Amino acid sequence: MNFICPAIGEDYKKDFLVTGSIDDFKIIVFSNMDQYEKGFKYLKLTEHKPCEVSKELFTELSKNDDAFSGIIVDIHSENKIITKKELLEELF
């Protein structure tokens, strides 16, 4: 499964759109390009570019980053939170 993430930067230096704090953050993602475009308008983003990311990246973040607490899917509509535990156990 892949997600579309708003990102700034190039290649391995990309920064994703996050919410929360430095000690407890979630990454904002979208389920497809249509949802990305709607969310882009909803969030009033200007400089971010879409980046396709596999769920494996978030699984790795769950294993290796204590501050990462999950992802928020389609924040403008569904606003579904997939927690770190759900990512590790593939419960979504």
Side-chain angles (χ1 to χ4, degrees), residues 40-88:
F40 195 86
K41 290 177 185 173
Y42 172 82
L43 295 170
K44 298 179 182 170
L45 300 175
T46 57
E47 297 180 24
H48 291 77
K49 303 288 183 209
C51 175
E52 188 170 359
V53 178
S54 71
K55 72 175 182 77
E56 286 78 17
L57 173 72
F58 301 119
T59 301
E60 286 302 311
L61 273 173
S62 296
K63 291 176 187 174
N64 299 314
D65 191 332
D66 291 337
F68 176 68
S69 60
I71 59 176
I72 301 174
V73 182
D74 298 335
I75 194 169
H76 64 290
S77 60
E78 186 177 354
N79 199 27
K80 179 180 181 177
I81 295 173
I82 300 175
T83 66
K84 179 183 225 174
K85 179 181 178 184
E86 291 171 316
L87 287 165
L88 288 170

Side-chain angles (χ1 to χ4, degrees), residues 30-43:
F30 298 95
S31 55
N32 57 50
M33 278 305 293
D34 182 52
Q35 294 301 322
Y36 175 86
E37 290 171 7
K38 291 175 184 174
F40 195 86
K41 290 177 185 173
Y42 172 82
L43 295 170

